[in-house]
Amino acid sequence: MRVVALVPGGIGDQILFFATLDDLKRDYPHAQIDVIVEPRSKAAYRVSKSVHEVLTFDYKDRNSLADWGNLVGMMRDREYDVAITVEPSWFVGLLLWLTGIPTRIGYKGKGAGFLTNTVSLNTSQYLAAMYHDLLQPLGINTPCPDLAVNVPKSDLEWAQQEQKRLGVHETGYILISGGSGNRSDTSYPVASWQQIIQDCQNKQPNLPVMVIKEAGDEQFVRSLQESCPDIKITSPDDIGKLTAIIGGASLMLSIESAPLQLSVAVQTYTISLLGSTDPGKLLPKSDKFLAIKSPTGKTADIPPAIVLEKIWGG
């Protein structure tokens, strides 16, 4: 059986979809599963254990009819048996109908008339479970499993060497993902991070604080270093290395970001700082994952004292 899943969205969205892919592969072990994702999200599948091939299409670009036609042609050429779309869209439904794929699965609503099987779109639940509902037409009615990732051995070895380089391999570390907020309501001020870091260093001087430096984080990290010169900086250059570093942390502090979902997948104790997003949609129910939701809908308005209260009393 050949399956293709159309999954727009960022890396965090892809990680949340992993549970669906893994359960599909578990129930259909001989299935060949491909995904079509935005170019910015292809890197997520370095840590997927269930996908055969990752194809890219920029769903949000101003695509011409020829671009969409090429997408239809690509799917037709690969002779898929099943297509799954997470996008309740009239246009995407039409495209899937044009591919001639026998089984076309999506949510009820826009475009459902072009699909062969639909499920109710329950947006009030954990997003991974919402995606997992799409497996019901394939006879998979089990609860959504925990998120999981498959980190390459070379990335695990890199993380071990990185921990030794930074002198944290014997002590453990608090890890911060705070500079990669891609929306104004998810960013958190440097001054607030400084207050949190300094309190952690005062109360736990033997537990280093490490900050993840991703592309675009240069000013954020530079500002933190000016007031907190003892912090450790790590710059993983792919998602496998990033996942391995997160997996070695004693505690993860994160804004709403892709690293947050990776932390969930590797079961690192995590405190997330959220703006307008409902914590129940972003995080599974677990004592390992605590959410602090801003009273104003902006992450920046979360008082550092509330974060510290969760760290020391959470």
Side-chain angles (χ1 to χ4, degrees), residues 1-287:
M1 181 170 74
R2 302 193 69 176
V3 182
V4 63
L6 283 68
V7 193
I11 285 179
D13 298 297
Q14 308 306 316
I15 304 300
L16 284 161
F17 195 68
F18 277 15
T20 299
L21 296 168
D22 292 347
D23 241 11
L24 178 59
K25 190 66 174 177
R26 186 197 66 185
D27 276 46
Y28 295 91
H30 301 297
Q32 178 179 304
I33 305 170
D34 295 345
V35 291
I36 302 177
V37 304
E38 295 173 39
R40 64 187 174 121
S41 302
K42 184 176 181 178
Y45 289 88
R46 180 178 177 87
V47 292
S48 170
K49 58 187 177 183
S50 299
V51 169
H52 173 259
E53 188 172 2
V54 183
L55 307 167
T56 60
F57 184 79
D58 197 343
Y59 297 93
K60 291 184 171 63
D61 196 13
R62 300 181 66 176
N63 297 296
S64 66
L65 285 177
D67 294 325
W68 290 106
N70 289 337
L71 177 63
V72 169
M74 179 174 67
M75 288 190 281
R76 288 183 69 94
D77 290 345
R78 291 169 184 268
E79 299 182 342
Y80 292 113
D81 303 293
V82 178
I84 300 172
T85 175
V86 305
E87 188 83 3
S89 158
W90 179 89
F91 193 58
V92 172
L94 171 62
L95 290 177
L96 288 181
W97 177 73
L98 291 172
T99 65
I101 296 172
T103 302
R104 304 180 297 279
I105 301 170
Y107 296 111
K108 293 178 180 176
K110 296 178 181 178
F114 296 107
L115 305 175
T116 61
N117 302 82
T118 58
V119 299
S120 297
L121 176 59
N122 180 0
T123 58
S124 65
Q125 62 181 326
Y126 177 39
L127 284 172
M130 185 188 83
Y131 293 145
H132 191 264
D133 288 345
L134 290 166
L135 296 180
Q136 292 172 7
L138 297 175
I140 302 174
N141 296 292
T142 50
C144 179
D146 293 338
L147 298 185
V149 288
N150 184 41
V151 183
K153 182 181 177 182
S154 59
D155 294 338
L156 293 170
E157 292 172 346
W158 176 90
Q160 290 173 354
Q161 292 301 314
E162 180 75 346
Q163 289 165 14
K164 289 179 180 178
R165 180 183 74 83
L166 295 170
V168 301
H169 58 292
E170 294 181 348
T171 60
Y173 48 94
I174 295 173
L175 188 61
I176 291 176
S177 171
S180 54
N182 53 14
R183 303 199 316 259
S184 60
D185 65 323
T186 65
S187 60
Y188 198 58
V190 168
S192 296
W193 280 123
Q194 289 169 345
Q195 190 174 330
I196 292 167
I197 291 169
Q198 288 167 353
D199 191 85
C200 289
Q201 290 175 331
N202 290 334
K203 290 183 177 175
Q204 291 283 354
N206 296 320
L207 186 61
V209 176
M210 186 190 301
V211 177
I212 298 169
K213 180 181 177 183
E214 297 188 87
D217 289 350
E218 291 77 11
Q219 182 58 49
F220 167 74
V221 171
R222 192 179 306 118
S223 298
L224 277 183
Q225 285 180 303
E226 288 176 359
S227 59
C228 306
D230 293 333
I231 58 174
K232 313 288 185 178
I233 307 298
T234 185
S235 304
D237 59 10
D238 63 53
I239 198 168
K241 296 180 179 67
L242 174 60
T243 305
I245 280 290
I246 293 171
S250 303
L251 172 67
M252 173 81 156
L253 305 175
S254 179
I255 59 172
E256 183 178 342
S257 61
L260 172 61
Q261 296 305 328
L262 293 173
S263 191
V264 171
V266 296
Q267 295 284 306
T268 292
Y269 282 95
T270 304
I271 296 176
S272 59
L273 284 61
L274 304 181
S276 58
T277 304
D278 179 357
K281 294 182 180 181
L282 209 59
L283 297 170
K285 292 179 180 178
S286 169
D287 293 340

